[in-house]
Coordinates of all heavy atoms in Angstrom, one line a residue:
M1 N -17.5 9.5 -6.4 CA -17.3 8.6 -5.3 C -16.1 9.1 -4.5 O -15.0 9.3 -5.0 CB -17.0 7.2 -5.8 CG -17.0 6.2 -4.8 SD -16.6 4.6 -5.5 CE -16.7 3.6 -4.1
I2 N -16.3 9.2 -3.2 CA -15.2 9.6 -2.3 C -15.0 8.4 -1.3 O -15.9 8.0 -0.7 CB -15.5 10.9 -1.5 CG1 -15.9 12.0 -2.5 CG2 -14.5 11.3 -0.6 CD1 -16.5 13.2 -1.9
I3 N -13.7 8.0 -1.2 CA -13.4 7.0 -0.2 C -12.3 7.4 0.8 O -11.5 8.3 0.4 CB -13.0 5.6 -0.8 CG1 -11.7 5.8 -1.7 CG2 -14.1 5.0 -1.7 CD1 -11.1 4.5 -2.0
P4 N -12.3 7.0 2.0 CA -11.3 7.4 3.0 C -9.9 6.8 2.6 O -9.9 5.7 2.1 CB -11.8 6.9 4.3 CG -12.7 5.8 4.0 CD -13.3 6.2 2.7
K5 N -8.9 7.6 3.0 CA -7.5 7.1 2.6 C -7.1 6.0 3.5 O -6.4 5.1 3.0 CB -6.6 8.3 2.8 CG -5.2 8.1 2.1 CD -4.4 9.3 2.2 CE -3.0 9.1 1.7 NZ -2.9 8.6 0.3
V6 N -7.4 6.0 4.8 CA -7.0 4.9 5.6 C -8.3 4.1 6.0 O -9.3 4.6 6.4 CB -6.4 5.5 7.0 CG1 -5.9 4.3 7.8 CG2 -5.2 6.3 6.6
Q7 N -8.2 2.8 5.8 CA -9.3 1.9 6.0 C -8.9 0.7 6.9 O -7.7 0.3 6.7 CB -9.9 1.4 4.7 CG -10.6 2.4 3.9 CD -11.1 1.9 2.6 OE1 -11.2 0.7 2.4 NE2 -11.3 2.8 1.6
R8 N -9.7 0.2 7.7 CA -9.4 -1.1 8.4 C -10.0 -2.2 7.5 O -11.1 -2.3 7.3 CB -10.1 -1.1 9.7 CG -9.2 -0.5 10.8 CD -9.8 -0.7 12.2 NE -9.5 -2.1 12.7 CZ -8.3 -2.5 13.2 NH1 -7.3 -1.6 13.2 NH2 -8.1 -3.7 13.6
R9 N -9.0 -3.0 7.0 CA -9.4 -4.1 6.1 C -8.6 -5.4 6.5 O -7.6 -5.3 7.2 CB -9.0 -3.8 4.6 CG -9.8 -2.8 4.0 CD -9.3 -2.5 2.6 NE -10.4 -2.2 1.7 CZ -11.1 -3.1 1.0 NH1 -10.8 -4.3 1.0 NH2 -12.1 -2.7 0.2
Y10 N -9.1 -6.5 5.9 CA -8.5 -7.7 6.2 C -7.2 -7.8 5.3 O -7.2 -7.6 4.1 CB -9.4 -8.9 5.8 CG -8.8 -10.2 6.1 CD1 -8.7 -10.7 7.4 CD2 -8.4 -11.1 5.1 CE1 -8.2 -11.9 7.7 CE2 -7.8 -12.3 5.4 CZ -7.8 -12.7 6.6 OH -7.2 -14.0 6.9
C11 N -6.1 -8.1 6.0 CA -4.8 -8.3 5.2 C -4.6 -9.8 5.1 O -4.5 -10.5 6.1 CB -3.7 -7.7 6.0 SG -2.1 -8.0 5.2
R12 N -4.4 -10.3 3.9 CA -4.2 -11.7 3.7 C -2.8 -12.2 4.0 O -2.6 -13.4 4.1 CB -4.7 -12.1 2.2 CG -3.8 -11.4 1.2 CD -4.3 -11.8 -0.2 NE -3.8 -10.8 -1.1 CZ -3.5 -11.1 -2.3 NH1 -3.6 -12.3 -2.8 NH2 -3.0 -10.2 -3.1
F13 N -1.9 -11.2 4.2 CA -0.6 -11.7 4.6 C -0.5 -11.8 6.1 O 0.1 -12.7 6.6 CB 0.5 -10.7 4.1 CG 0.4 -10.5 2.6 CD1 -0.1 -9.4 2.0 CD2 0.8 -11.5 1.7 CE1 -0.2 -9.2 0.6 CE2 0.7 -11.3 0.3 CZ 0.2 -10.2 -0.2
C14 N -1.0 -10.8 6.8 CA -1.1 -10.9 8.3 C -2.2 -11.8 8.8 O -2.2 -12.2 10.0 CB -1.3 -9.4 8.9 SG -0.1 -8.2 8.3
K15 N -3.2 -12.0 8.0 CA -4.4 -12.8 8.3 C -5.1 -12.2 9.5 O -5.6 -12.9 10.4 CB -3.9 -14.3 8.6 CG -3.5 -15.0 7.4 CD -3.3 -16.4 7.6 CE -3.0 -17.1 6.3 NZ -1.9 -18.1 6.4
K16 N -5.3 -10.9 9.5 CA -6.1 -10.2 10.5 C -6.4 -8.8 9.9 O -6.0 -8.5 8.9 CB -5.3 -10.1 11.8 CG -4.1 -9.3 11.7 CD -3.4 -9.2 13.0 CE -2.1 -8.4 12.9 NZ -1.3 -8.4 14.1
Y17 N -7.3 -8.1 10.6 CA -7.7 -6.8 10.2 C -6.6 -5.7 10.6 O -6.2 -5.7 11.8 CB -9.0 -6.4 10.8 CG -10.2 -6.9 10.0 CD1 -10.5 -8.2 10.1 CD2 -10.9 -6.1 9.2 CE1 -11.5 -8.8 9.3 CE2 -11.9 -6.6 8.4 CZ -12.3 -7.9 8.5 OH -13.2 -8.4 7.7
T18 N -6.1 -4.9 9.6 CA -5.1 -3.9 9.8 C -5.5 -2.6 9.2 O -6.4 -2.6 8.3 CB -3.7 -4.4 9.3 OG1 -3.9 -4.7 7.9 CG2 -3.2 -5.6 10.1
E19 N -4.8 -1.6 9.5 CA -5.0 -0.3 8.9 C -4.3 -0.3 7.5 O -3.1 -0.6 7.4 CB -4.5 0.8 9.7 CG -5.1 0.9 11.1 CD -5.6 2.3 11.4 OE1 -4.9 3.3 11.2 OE2 -6.9 2.4 11.7
Q20 N -5.0 0.1 6.5 CA -4.5 0.1 5.2 C -4.7 1.4 4.4 O -5.8 1.9 4.5 CB -5.0 -1.1 4.3 CG -4.6 -2.4 4.9 CD -5.2 -3.6 4.2 OE1 -5.5 -3.5 3.0 NE2 -5.3 -4.7 4.8
T21 N -3.7 1.9 3.7 CA -3.8 3.1 2.9 C -4.2 2.7 1.5 O -3.6 1.8 1.0 CB -2.6 4.0 3.0 OG1 -1.5 3.2 2.7 CG2 -2.4 4.6 4.4
V22 N -5.1 3.6 0.9 CA -5.5 3.3 -0.5 C -4.7 4.2 -1.4 O -4.5 5.4 -1.1 CB -7.0 3.6 -0.6 CG1 -7.5 3.1 -1.9 CG2 -7.8 3.0 0.6
T23 N -4.3 3.7 -2.5 CA -3.7 4.4 -3.6 C -4.2 4.0 -4.9 O -4.6 2.8 -5.0 CB -2.1 4.4 -3.6 OG1 -1.8 3.0 -3.5 CG2 -1.5 5.2 -2.5
E24 N -4.2 4.9 -5.8 CA -4.6 4.5 -7.2 C -3.3 4.1 -8.0 O -2.3 4.8 -7.9 CB -5.2 5.7 -7.9 CG -6.5 5.5 -8.5 CD -7.1 6.7 -9.1 OE1 -7.1 7.8 -8.5 OE2 -7.4 6.6 -10.3
A25 N -3.4 2.9 -8.6 CA -2.2 2.4 -9.3 C -1.9 3.3 -10.5 O -2.8 3.7 -11.3 CB -2.4 1.0 -9.7
K26 N -0.6 3.6 -10.7 CA -0.3 4.4 -11.9 C 0.0 3.5 -13.0 O 0.3 2.4 -13.0 CB 1.1 5.1 -11.6 CG 0.9 6.3 -10.6 CD 2.2 6.8 -10.2 CE 2.2 7.5 -8.9 NZ 3.4 7.4 -8.1
R27 N -0.4 4.1 -14.2 CA -0.2 3.3 -15.5 C 1.3 3.3 -15.8 O 1.9 4.4 -15.9 CB -0.9 4.0 -16.6 CG -2.4 3.7 -16.5 CD -3.1 4.0 -17.8 NE -4.1 3.0 -18.1 CZ -4.6 2.7 -19.3 NH1 -4.1 3.3 -20.3 NH2 -5.5 1.9 -19.5
K28 N 1.8 2.1 -16.1 CA 3.2 2.0 -16.4 C 3.4 2.0 -17.9 O 2.5 1.5 -18.6 CB 3.9 0.7 -15.8 CG 4.0 0.8 -14.4 CD 4.5 -0.5 -13.8 CE 4.5 -0.5 -12.3 NZ 4.4 -1.8 -11.8
P29 N 4.5 2.6 -18.5 CA 4.7 2.5 -19.9 C 5.0 1.1 -20.3 O 5.4 0.2 -19.6 CB 5.9 3.4 -20.1 CG 6.6 3.4 -18.8 CD 5.6 3.3 -17.8
R30 N 4.6 0.8 -21.6 CA 4.8 -0.6 -22.1 C 6.3 -1.0 -22.2 O 7.1 -0.1 -22.5 CB 4.2 -0.7 -23.5 CG 2.7 -0.5 -23.5 CD 2.1 -1.4 -24.6 NE 0.7 -1.6 -24.3 CZ -0.3 -0.8 -24.9 NH1 0.0 0.1 -25.7 NH2 -1.6 -1.1 -24.5
K31 N 6.6 -2.2 -21.8 CA 7.9 -2.7 -22.0 C 8.3 -2.8 -23.4 O 7.5 -3.4 -24.2 CB 8.1 -4.0 -21.3 CG 8.0 -4.0 -19.8 CD 8.1 -5.4 -19.3 CE 7.9 -5.4 -17.8 NZ 7.6 -6.8 -17.3
K32 N 9.4 -2.2 -23.9 CA 9.7 -2.2 -25.3 C 10.2 -3.5 -25.8 O 10.1 -3.8 -27.0 CB 10.7 -1.1 -25.5 CG 10.0 0.3 -25.8 CD 11.1 1.3 -26.3 CE 10.4 2.6 -26.7 NZ 11.3 3.7 -26.7
N33 N 10.8 -4.3 -24.9 CA 11.5 -5.5 -25.4 C 10.7 -6.8 -25.0 O 11.3 -7.8 -25.2 CB 12.9 -5.5 -24.9 CG 13.8 -4.5 -25.5 OD1 13.6 -4.3 -26.7 ND2 14.6 -3.9 -24.8
S34 N 9.5 -6.6 -24.6 CA 8.7 -7.9 -24.3 C 8.4 -8.6 -25.7 O 8.4 -7.9 -26.7 CB 7.5 -7.5 -23.6 OG 6.5 -7.0 -24.4
R35 N 8.1 -9.8 -25.6 CA 7.9 -10.6 -26.9 C 6.7 -10.1 -27.7 O 6.9 -9.9 -28.9 CB 7.7 -12.1 -26.5 CG 7.8 -12.9 -27.7 CD 7.7 -14.4 -27.3 NE 7.8 -15.2 -28.5 CZ 7.6 -16.5 -28.5 NH1 7.4 -17.1 -27.3 NH2 7.7 -17.2 -29.6
S36 N 5.6 -9.8 -27.0 CA 4.4 -9.4 -27.7 C 4.7 -8.0 -28.4 O 4.2 -7.7 -29.4 CB 3.2 -9.4 -26.8 OG 3.5 -8.6 -25.7
Q37 N 5.4 -7.1 -27.6 CA 5.7 -5.8 -28.1 C 6.6 -5.9 -29.3 O 6.4 -5.1 -30.2 CB 6.2 -5.0 -27.0 CG 6.1 -3.4 -27.2 CD 4.7 -2.9 -27.4 OE1 3.8 -3.6 -26.9 NE2 4.5 -1.8 -28.1
R38 N 7.6 -6.8 -29.3 CA 8.4 -6.9 -30.4 C 7.7 -7.3 -31.6 O 7.9 -6.9 -32.8 CB 9.6 -7.9 -30.1 CG 10.6 -7.4 -29.1 CD 11.9 -8.2 -29.2 NE 11.7 -9.6 -29.1 CZ 11.8 -10.4 -28.0 NH1 12.1 -9.8 -26.9 NH2 11.7 -11.7 -28.1
R39 N 6.8 -8.3 -31.4 CA 5.9 -8.8 -32.5 C 5.1 -7.7 -33.1 O 4.9 -7.5 -34.3 CB 5.0 -9.9 -32.0 CG 4.4 -10.8 -33.1 CD 3.3 -11.6 -32.5 NE 3.7 -12.5 -31.5 CZ 3.1 -12.6 -30.3 NH1 2.0 -12.0 -30.1 NH2 3.5 -13.5 -29.4
F40 N 4.5 -6.9 -32.2 CA 3.7 -5.8 -32.6 C 4.5 -4.7 -33.4 O 4.0 -4.2 -34.5 CB 3.1 -5.1 -31.4 CG 2.2 -4.0 -31.6 CD1 0.9 -4.1 -32.2 CD2 2.5 -2.6 -31.3 CE1 0.1 -3.1 -32.4 CE2 1.7 -1.6 -31.6 CZ 0.5 -1.8 -32.1
M41 N 5.7 -4.4 -32.9 CA 6.5 -3.4 -33.7 C 6.9 -4.0 -35.0 O 7.0 -3.2 -36.0 CB 7.7 -3.1 -32.8 CG 7.5 -2.4 -31.5 SD 6.3 -1.0 -31.6 CE 7.3 0.2 -32.5
R42 N 7.1 -5.3 -35.1 CA 7.5 -5.9 -36.4 C 6.3 -5.7 -37.4 O 6.5 -5.4 -38.6 CB 7.8 -7.4 -36.2 CG 8.8 -7.9 -37.2 CD 9.1 -9.4 -37.1 NE 9.4 -9.7 -35.7 CZ 8.8 -10.7 -35.0 NH1 7.8 -11.5 -35.6 NH2 9.1 -11.0 -33.8
K43 N 5.1 -6.0 -36.9 CA 3.9 -5.8 -37.7 C 3.7 -4.4 -38.1 O 3.2 -4.1 -39.2 CB 2.7 -6.3 -36.9 CG 2.5 -7.7 -37.0 CD 1.2 -8.1 -37.6 CE 1.1 -9.6 -37.8 NZ -0.2 -9.9 -38.5
M44 N 4.0 -3.4 -37.3 CA 3.7 -2.0 -37.6 C 4.8 -1.4 -38.5 O 4.6 -0.3 -39.0 CB 3.7 -1.2 -36.3 CG 2.5 -1.5 -35.4 SD 1.0 -1.0 -36.2 CE 1.0 0.8 -35.8
K45 N 5.9 -2.1 -38.7 CA 6.9 -1.6 -39.5 C 6.5 -1.6 -41.0 O 5.8 -2.5 -41.4 CB 8.2 -2.5 -39.4 CG 9.4 -1.7 -39.3 CD 10.5 -2.5 -38.6 CE 11.3 -3.4 -39.6 NZ 12.4 -4.2 -39.0
G46 N 6.9 -0.6 -41.8 CA 6.7 -0.6 -43.2 C 5.3 -0.2 -43.5 O 4.5 0.4 -42.8
Y47 N 4.8 -0.7 -44.7 CA 3.5 -0.3 -45.2 C 2.5 -1.3 -44.5 O 2.9 -2.3 -43.9 CB 3.4 -0.4 -46.7 CG 4.2 0.7 -47.4 CD1 5.4 0.3 -48.0 CD2 3.9 2.0 -47.3 CE1 6.2 1.3 -48.6 CE2 4.6 3.0 -47.9 CZ 5.8 2.7 -48.5 OH 6.6 3.6 -49.1
G48 N 1.2 -1.1 -44.7 CA 0.2 -2.0 -44.2 C -0.6 -1.3 -43.1 O -0.2 -0.3 -42.5
S49 N -1.8 -1.9 -42.8 CA -2.6 -1.3 -41.9 C -2.4 -1.8 -40.4 O -1.5 -2.5 -40.2 CB -4.1 -1.7 -42.3 OG -4.3 -3.0 -42.3
F50 N -3.2 -1.3 -39.5 CA -3.1 -1.6 -38.1 C -3.4 -3.1 -38.0 O -4.3 -3.6 -38.6 CB -4.0 -0.8 -37.3 CG -3.7 -0.6 -35.9 CD1 -2.6 0.0 -35.4 CD2 -4.6 -1.2 -34.9 CE1 -2.3 0.2 -34.1 CE2 -4.3 -1.1 -33.6 CZ -3.1 -0.4 -33.2
P51 N -2.6 -3.9 -37.2 CA -2.8 -5.3 -37.2 C -4.1 -5.8 -36.6 O -4.5 -6.9 -36.8 CB -1.6 -5.8 -36.4 CG -1.1 -4.7 -35.7 CD -1.4 -3.5 -36.5
R52 N -4.7 -5.1 -35.7 CA -6.1 -5.5 -35.2 C -7.0 -4.3 -35.3 O -6.6 -3.2 -35.7 CB -5.9 -5.9 -33.8 CG -5.4 -4.9 -32.8 CD -5.3 -5.5 -31.5 NE -3.8 -5.6 -31.1 CZ -3.2 -4.6 -30.6 NH1 -3.7 -3.5 -30.3 NH2 -1.9 -4.7 -30.2
Q53 N -8.3 -4.6 -35.0 CA -9.3 -3.6 -35.2 C -9.0 -2.4 -34.3 O -8.7 -2.6 -33.1 CB -10.7 -4.2 -34.8 CG -11.7 -3.7 -35.7 CD -13.0 -4.4 -35.4 OE1 -13.2 -5.1 -34.4 NE2 -14.0 -4.3 -36.3
N54 N -9.1 -1.2 -34.9 CA -8.8 0.0 -34.1 C -10.0 0.4 -33.3 O -11.1 0.5 -33.8 CB -8.4 1.1 -35.1 CG -7.4 2.0 -34.5 OD1 -7.2 2.1 -33.2 ND2 -6.8 2.8 -35.3
P55 N -9.9 0.6 -31.9 CA -11.0 0.8 -31.1 C -11.6 2.2 -31.2 O -12.3 2.7 -30.4 CB -10.5 0.5 -29.7 CG -9.1 0.8 -29.8 CD -8.6 0.5 -31.2
K56 N -11.2 3.0 -32.3 CA -11.6 4.4 -32.4 C -13.2 4.5 -32.5 O -13.8 3.8 -33.3 CB -11.0 5.0 -33.6 CG -10.8 6.5 -33.5 CD -10.0 7.0 -34.6 CE -9.7 8.5 -34.5 NZ -9.0 9.0 -35.6
G57 N -13.7 5.4 -31.6 CA -15.1 5.6 -31.8 C -16.0 4.7 -30.9 O -17.2 5.0 -30.7
R58 N -15.5 3.7 -30.4 CA -16.3 2.8 -29.5 C -15.7 2.6 -28.1 O -15.8 1.5 -27.5 CB -16.6 1.4 -30.2 CG -15.4 0.8 -30.7 CD -15.8 -0.5 -31.5 NE -14.6 -1.2 -31.9 CZ -14.0 -2.1 -31.2 NH1 -14.4 -2.4 -30.0 NH2 -12.9 -2.7 -31.7
E59 N -14.9 3.6 -27.7 CA -14.3 3.5 -26.3 C -15.4 3.7 -25.3 O -16.4 4.3 -25.5 CB -13.2 4.6 -26.1 CG -12.1 4.4 -27.1 CD -12.1 5.5 -28.1 OE1 -13.1 6.1 -28.3 OE2 -11.1 5.6 -28.8
K60 N -15.1 3.1 -24.1 CA -16.2 3.3 -23.0 C -15.9 4.8 -22.4 O -14.8 5.2 -22.4 CB -15.9 2.3 -21.9 CG -16.1 0.9 -22.5 CD -16.9 0.0 -21.6 CE -17.3 -1.2 -22.3 NZ -18.0 -2.1 -21.5
P61 N -17.0 5.4 -21.9 CA -16.9 6.7 -21.4 C -16.1 6.8 -20.1 O -15.6 7.9 -19.8 CB -18.3 7.2 -21.2 CG -19.1 5.9 -21.1 CD -18.4 4.9 -21.9
T62 N -16.0 5.7 -19.3 CA -15.3 5.7 -18.1 C -14.2 4.7 -18.1 O -14.3 3.7 -18.8 CB -16.2 5.5 -16.9 OG1 -16.9 4.3 -17.1 CG2 -17.1 6.7 -16.7
K63 N -13.1 4.9 -17.3 CA -12.1 3.9 -17.2 C -12.2 3.1 -15.9 O -12.8 3.6 -14.9 CB -10.7 4.6 -17.2 CG -10.3 5.1 -18.5 CD -9.4 4.1 -19.2 CE -8.9 4.6 -20.6 NZ -10.0 4.6 -21.6
K64 N -11.7 1.9 -15.9 CA -11.9 1.1 -14.7 C -10.7 1.5 -13.7 O -9.6 1.8 -14.1 CB -11.6 -0.4 -15.0 CG -12.9 -1.1 -15.1 CD -12.7 -2.6 -15.2 CE -13.9 -3.3 -15.5 NZ -13.8 -4.8 -15.6
L65 N -11.2 1.6 -12.4 CA -10.2 2.0 -11.4 C -9.4 0.8 -11.0 O -9.8 -0.3 -11.0 CB -11.0 2.4 -10.1 CG -11.4 3.8 -10.0 CD1 -12.1 4.0 -8.6 CD2 -10.2 4.8 -10.1
D66 N -8.1 1.1 -10.6 CA -7.2 0.1 -10.1 C -6.7 0.5 -8.7 O -5.8 1.4 -8.6 CB -6.1 -0.1 -11.1 CG -5.3 -1.3 -10.8 OD1 -5.6 -2.1 -9.8 OD2 -4.3 -1.6 -11.5
L67 N -7.3 0.0 -7.7 CA -7.0 0.4 -6.3 C -6.0 -0.5 -5.7 O -6.1 -1.8 -5.9 CB -8.2 0.5 -5.5 CG -9.2 1.7 -5.9 CD1 -10.4 1.7 -4.9 CD2 -8.6 3.0 -5.9
R68 N -5.1 0.0 -4.9 CA -4.1 -0.8 -4.2 C -4.2 -0.5 -2.7 O -4.3 0.7 -2.4 CB -2.7 -0.5 -4.7 CG -2.4 -0.8 -6.2 CD -2.4 -2.3 -6.5 NE -2.8 -2.6 -7.9 CZ -1.9 -2.7 -8.8 NH1 -0.6 -2.5 -8.6 NH2 -2.3 -3.0 -10.0
Y69 N -4.2 -1.5 -1.9 CA -4.2 -1.3 -0.5 C -2.9 -1.7 0.1 O -2.5 -2.8 0.0 CB -5.3 -2.2 0.1 CG -6.7 -1.8 -0.4 CD1 -7.2 -2.4 -1.6 CD2 -7.5 -0.8 0.3 CE1 -8.5 -2.0 -2.1 CE2 -8.7 -0.5 -0.2 CZ -9.2 -1.1 -1.4 OH -10.4 -0.8 -1.9
K70 N -2.3 -0.7 0.9 CA -1.0 -1.0 1.5 C -1.2 -1.2 3.0 O -1.7 -0.3 3.7 CB 0.0 0.1 1.2 CG 1.4 -0.3 1.5 CD 2.4 0.8 1.3 CE 3.8 0.4 1.6 NZ 4.7 1.5 1.5
C71 N -0.7 -2.3 3.5 CA -0.9 -2.7 4.9 C 0.2 -1.9 5.7 O 1.3 -1.8 5.3 CB -0.7 -4.2 5.1 SG -0.7 -4.7 6.8
A72 N -0.2 -1.4 6.8 CA 0.7 -0.6 7.6 C 1.7 -1.5 8.4 O 2.7 -1.0 8.9 CB -0.1 0.4 8.6
E73 N 1.2 -2.7 8.7 CA 2.1 -3.6 9.5 C 3.1 -4.4 8.7 O 4.3 -4.4 9.1 CB 1.2 -4.6 10.3 CG 0.5 -3.9 11.4 CD -0.4 -4.9 12.3 OE1 0.0 -6.1 12.3 OE2 -1.4 -4.4 12.8
C74 N 2.7 -5.0 7.6 CA 3.7 -5.8 6.8 C 4.2 -5.0 5.6 O 5.1 -5.5 4.9 CB 3.1 -7.1 6.4 SG 1.7 -7.0 5.4
K75 N 3.6 -3.9 5.3 CA 4.0 -2.9 4.3 C 3.8 -3.6 2.9 O 4.5 -3.3 1.9 CB 5.5 -2.5 4.4 CG 5.9 -2.0 5.7 CD 5.6 -0.5 5.8 CE 6.2 0.2 7.0 NZ 5.2 0.6 7.9
K76 N 3.0 -4.6 2.8 CA 2.7 -5.3 1.5 C 1.5 -4.7 0.9 O 0.6 -4.2 1.6 CB 2.5 -6.7 1.7 CG 3.8 -7.5 1.8 CD 3.6 -8.9 2.0 CE 5.0 -9.7 2.2 NZ 4.8 -11.0 2.6
T77 N 1.5 -4.7 -0.5 CA 0.3 -4.0 -1.2 C -0.5 -5.2 -1.8 O 0.1 -6.1 -2.3 CB 0.9 -3.1 -2.3 OG1 1.9 -2.3 -1.7 CG2 -0.1 -2.3 -2.9
Q78 N -1.8 -5.0 -1.8 CA -2.7 -6.0 -2.5 C -3.7 -5.2 -3.2 O -4.1 -4.1 -2.8 CB -3.2 -7.0 -1.4 CG -3.9 -6.3 -0.3 CD -4.4 -7.3 0.7 OE1 -4.5 -8.5 0.5 NE2 -4.6 -6.8 2.0
S79 N -4.2 -5.9 -4.2 CA -5.4 -5.3 -4.9 C -6.5 -6.3 -4.7 O -6.3 -7.5 -4.7 CB -5.1 -5.1 -6.4 OG -4.9 -6.3 -7.0
I80 N -7.7 -5.8 -4.5 CA -8.8 -6.7 -4.3 C -9.8 -6.7 -5.4 O -10.4 -5.6 -5.8 CB -9.5 -6.2 -2.9 CG1 -8.5 -6.6 -1.8 CG2 -10.8 -6.9 -2.7 CD1 -8.5 -5.6 -0.6
G81 N -10.0 -7.9 -6.0 CA -11.0 -8.0 -7.0 C -10.6 -7.2 -8.3 O -9.5 -6.7 -8.4
T82 N -11.5 -7.1 -9.2 CA -11.3 -6.4 -10.4 C -11.8 -4.9 -10.1 O -12.7 -4.8 -9.3 CB -12.0 -6.9 -11.6 OG1 -13.3 -7.2 -11.3 CG2 -11.3 -8.2 -12.1
G83 N -11.3 -4.0 -10.9 CA -11.8 -2.6 -10.7 C -13.2 -2.4 -11.1 O -13.8 -3.2 -11.7
F84 N -13.7 -1.2 -10.7 CA -15.1 -0.9 -11.1 C -15.0 0.5 -11.8 O -14.1 1.3 -11.7 CB -16.0 -0.8 -9.9 CG -15.4 0.0 -8.7 CD1 -15.7 1.3 -8.5 CD2 -14.6 -0.6 -7.8 CE1 -15.2 2.0 -7.5 CE2 -14.0 0.1 -6.7 CZ -14.4 1.4 -6.6
R85 N -16.1 0.8 -12.5 CA -16.2 2.0 -13.3 C -16.9 3.2 -12.5 O -18.0 3.0 -12.0 CB -16.9 1.8 -14.6 CG -16.2 0.8 -15.4 CD -17.0 0.6 -16.8 NE -16.3 -0.4 -17.5 CZ -15.2 -0.2 -18.3 NH1 -14.8 1.0 -18.4 NH2 -14.6 -1.2 -18.9
V86 N -16.2 4.3 -12.4 CA -16.9 5.5 -11.9 C -16.4 6.7 -12.7 O -15.3 6.7 -13.3 CB -16.5 5.7 -10.4 CG1 -17.3 4.9 -9.5 CG2 -15.0 5.6 -10.2
K87 N -17.3 7.7 -12.7 CA -17.0 8.9 -13.5 C -16.1 9.8 -12.7 O -15.0 10.3 -13.1 CB -18.3 9.7 -13.8 CG -18.7 9.3 -15.2 CD -19.8 10.3 -15.7 CE -20.2 9.9 -17.1 NZ -21.3 10.6 -17.5
K88 N -16.4 10.0 -11.4 CA -15.6 10.8 -10.5 C -15.1 10.1 -9.4 O -15.8 9.3 -8.8 CB -16.5 12.0 -9.9 CG -16.6 13.2 -10.9 CD -17.4 14.3 -10.2 CE -17.7 15.4 -11.2 NZ -18.6 16.4 -10.6
F89 N -13.8 10.2 -9.1 CA -13.2 9.4 -8.0 C -12.3 10.3 -7.1 O -11.6 11.1 -7.7 CB -12.5 8.2 -8.5 CG -11.9 7.4 -7.4 CD1 -12.7 6.6 -6.6 CD2 -10.5 7.4 -7.1 CE1 -12.2 5.8 -5.6 CE2 -10.0 6.7 -6.2 CZ -10.8 5.9 -5.4
E90 N -12.3 10.2 -5.8 CA -11.5 11.0 -5.0 C -11.2 10.2 -3.8 O -12.0 9.5 -3.2 CB -12.3 12.3 -4.6 CG -11.4 13.4 -4.1 CD -12.3 14.6 -3.8 OE1 -13.1 15.1 -4.7 OE2 -12.2 15.1 -2.7
I91 N -10.0 10.3 -3.3 CA -9.5 9.7 -2.0 C -9.5 10.8 -1.0 O -8.7 11.8 -1.1 CB -8.1 9.0 -2.1 CG1 -8.3 7.9 -3.1 CG2 -7.7 8.5 -0.8 CD1 -7.0 7.2 -3.5
R92 N -10.3 10.7 0.1 CA -10.4 11.7 1.1 C -9.1 11.6 2.0 O -8.8 10.6 2.4 CB -11.7 11.5 2.0 CG -12.1 12.7 2.8 CD -13.0 12.4 3.9 NE -14.0 11.6 3.6 CZ -14.5 10.6 4.4 NH1 -13.9 10.3 5.5 NH2 -15.5 9.9 4.1
K93 N -8.6 12.8 2.3 CA -7.4 12.9 3.1 C -7.7 13.4 4.5 O -8.5 14.3 4.6 CB -6.3 13.8 2.5 CG -5.8 13.2 1.2 CD -4.9 14.2 0.4 CE -4.7 13.7 -1.0 NZ -5.4 14.5 -1.9
E94 N -7.2 12.8 5.5 CA -7.4 13.3 6.9 C -6.2 13.9 7.5 O -5.1 13.5 7.1 CB -7.9 12.2 7.7 CG -9.4 12.0 7.7 CD -9.9 10.7 7.1 OE1 -9.5 10.5 5.9 OE2 -10.4 9.8 7.8
Ligands
ZN1 ZN1 -0.4 -7.0 6.5

């Protein structure tokens, strides 16, 4: 799937159609000191198995895309809906 880098889309902050650039959201590393991560690290300490079912062998063949649209006028970024699955993805540059 190839999509253009600059698109005219509705901006919910400006409340009108503006030019927006598309970027793929980068994966951020997990926060080490969040509450759930601390609980997970406590569980993983010492002996014992993995605290939940390990997804090994039943992963999906494709990952969901996370697209962000940045408005050229208000410089705000928004994501629209949930991502979709594609095997090949490319942002066309002009
Ligand atoms: Zn805007």
Side-chain angles (χ1 to χ4, degrees):
M1 184 181 186
I2 303 171
I3 63 164
K5 194 173 173 60
V6 181
Q7 293 175 17
R8 270 190 80 77
R9 284 179 149 270
Y10 183 74
C11 175
R12 60 185 162 145
F13 304 107
C14 306
K15 290 185 175 143
K16 62 180 177 184
Y17 276 76
T18 54
E19 299 233 308
Q20 297 181 22
T21 50
V22 190
T23 47
E24 235 178 306
K26 285 171 201 148
R27 285 197 143 203
K28 287 175 190 158
R30 293 216 163 95
K31 287 179 190 166
K32 270 191 178 163
N33 289 321
S34 74
R35 191 174 180 186
S36 55
Q37 198 61 26
R38 288 199 312 262
R39 193 195 303 133
F40 180 73
M41 292 317 285
R42 209 184 310 132
K43 277 239 168 181
M44 288 296 278
K45 223 159 85 176
Y47 296 107
S49 56
F50 200 69
R52 61 185 110 86
Q53 219 173 15
N54 213 343
K56 207 173 183 185
R58 53 188 183 84
E59 299 104 349
K60 301 224 171 177
T62 53
K63 286 266 182 288
K64 264 192 183 177
L65 270 184
D66 190 3
L67 294 182
R68 302 287 157 95
Y69 298 89
K70 193 180 182 189
C71 175
E73 284 184 31
C74 62
K75 310 271 190 247
K76 280 182 182 170
T77 312
Q78 55 185 338
S79 65
I80 288 143
T82 50
F84 48 92
R85 295 180 183 276
V86 279
K87 266 193 176 169
K88 279 183 187 173
F89 182 74
E90 201 179 304
I91 294 172
R92 199 201 308 140
K93 291 169 197 108
E94 274 117 294

